[in-house]
Amino acid sequence: MRIVLCCAAGMSTSMLVSKMQSAAQGRGLAIDIKAVPVAEFERILPDADVVLLGPQVQFEAARLTAIAAPQGKSVAVIDMMDYGMMRGEQVLDKALALHAS
C-alpha cells in the first residue's frame, strides 16, 4: 500500500509521515508513506493508493477528488486536530479505512 500526504510545500507533513511510519511498523504493516507538495498531485497519483491532504490545502479537495476518482483513487482531508497534534496512529487508521472502502 502506498499513502501520499500532500500539503502546501510537503514540509509540515514530513513529520507526520515519520509518525505514521512508526505506527505502521509497530503494527507489522509494510506501507510506503511519503509527503509531497500539492502541486505534484497529478504526477504522484498513479503511484498512490490513498492521498491525504493537509488541512491547509483542503480547499483543493473537490478538484483533486474529481481527478482521482476516475482512476479509482481515494482522496481525503486529514483531520485538523490529528494533523496539528501529529497523531500518526489516527491518520494511518484513516488511510487504511479509505483504502479498504
Side-chain angles (χ1 to χ4, degrees):
M1 179 176 173
R2 292 162 304 205
I3 303 169
V4 178
L5 277 54
C6 291
C7 70
M11 298 304 231
S12 56
T13 51
S14 294
M15 290 185 292
L16 187 54
V17 165
S18 296
K19 301 265 187 181
M20 291 174 69
Q21 287 171 332
S22 293
Q25 287 172 351
R27 298 179 191 187
L29 301 173
I31 298 177
D32 179 37
I33 309 169
K34 65 181 176 181
V36 300
V38 72
E40 294 187 28
F41 177 83
E42 290 184 61
R43 183 186 65 75
I44 59 90
L45 187 59
D47 297 324
D49 293 310
V50 174
V51 179
L52 297 177
L53 306 177
Q56 69 273 41
V57 293
Q58 65 184 336
F59 65 92
E60 293 274 27
R63 181 179 75 83
L64 300 179
T65 298
I67 294 168
Q71 296 183 41
K73 309 287 180 153
S74 298
V75 176
V77 177
I78 300 168
D79 177 82
M80 194 176 299
M81 286 298 287
D82 289 342
Y83 189 87
M85 301 295 287
M86 293 286 151
R87 296 179 182 146
E89 290 273 350
Q90 285 86 338
V91 179
L92 180 61
D93 287 343
K94 180 175 190 130
L96 293 171
L98 275 172
H99 189 277
S101 62

